Amino acid sequence: EPEVFIDVHGEGEIMNVSWNENGTRIVTTAKDKKARVIDPRKNVVVHEVAIQEAERECWAYFLSDTTIATIGFAKGNARQIGVYDIKSNKCLQEMEVEGDSGAMLPHLDADTGVLYVASSGSPTVQM
C-alpha cells in the first residue's frame, strides 16, 4: 500500500489536519500560527493564512472551498473562533467564546454549513 509524506510545514509542528468535503484539499494548523491549505496530490501549499495568536492547539475545518473556520485560543488563553477567506488571506470574523478554559469540541454539519461548538463540561452549544 503506497504511503505519501507531505512535508510543507518546515519547522512548524502540525497540530491538526482536516480534509475538505470532496477530498481534494487538506487544511493543517501548526505551531507557527498559520493554517495551510494543501493539495495532497501535488504536495504543495495552495493557500496560507495567519490564524490565532496563542501557541496552544488550534483546529481548522473547511466551511466551503474558499473559507475555513479555526477553533483555538487568543492571547491570554481566551477561547476563540475565527472564519477566514483563504483566497484573500483575510479574517472574515473572529469571536471570543466566553466561559471556562475547557476544550472546545467542534462539529461541522456539511449539509447546512453550520459549525457547532460545544465545550467539555458546559451545558451550552455555540453556533
Side-chain angles (χ1 to χ4, degrees):
E1 190 171 314
E3 293 182 8
V4 176
F5 295 96
I6 298 173
D7 185 18
V8 293
H9 277 276
E11 300 296 319
E13 179 182 331
I14 295 174
M15 295 186 283
N16 169 258
V17 176
S18 297
W19 288 88
N20 69 350
E21 192 172 329
N22 64 10
T24 58
R25 300 277 190 265
I26 58 175
V27 61
T28 63
T29 57
K31 286 207 172 204
D32 64 359
K33 304 173 192 168
K34 293 183 181 176
R36 291 174 177 85
V37 177
I38 300 167
D39 182 338
R41 290 164 182 82
K42 296 178 183 174
N43 198 17
V44 295
V45 174
V46 180
H47 300 286
E48 184 175 275
V49 62
I51 55 173
Q52 278 91 348
E53 290 294 317
E55 291 188 18
R56 292 184 60 186
E57 61 273 359
C58 182
W59 301 267
Y61 300 92
F62 282 96
L63 297 178
S64 71
D65 288 338
T66 60
T67 55
I68 60 171
T70 61
I71 299 166
F73 295 87
K75 286 191 174 184
N77 289 332
R79 300 180 306 166
Q80 188 176 56
I81 298 172
V83 177
Y84 299 88
D85 181 325
I86 56 176
K87 290 197 176 196
S88 66
N89 294 335
K90 290 185 179 177
C91 177
L92 302 175
Q93 180 76 37
E94 273 186 345
M95 69 180 231
E96 289 191 11
V97 180
E98 296 180 14
D100 60 21
S101 60
M104 291 187 287
L105 310 167
H107 173 74
L108 175 63
D109 182 344
D111 293 331
T112 62
V114 175
L115 180 67
Y116 298 92
V117 181
S119 177
S120 62
S122 175
T124 62
V125 175
Q126 299 263 343
M127 294 189 280

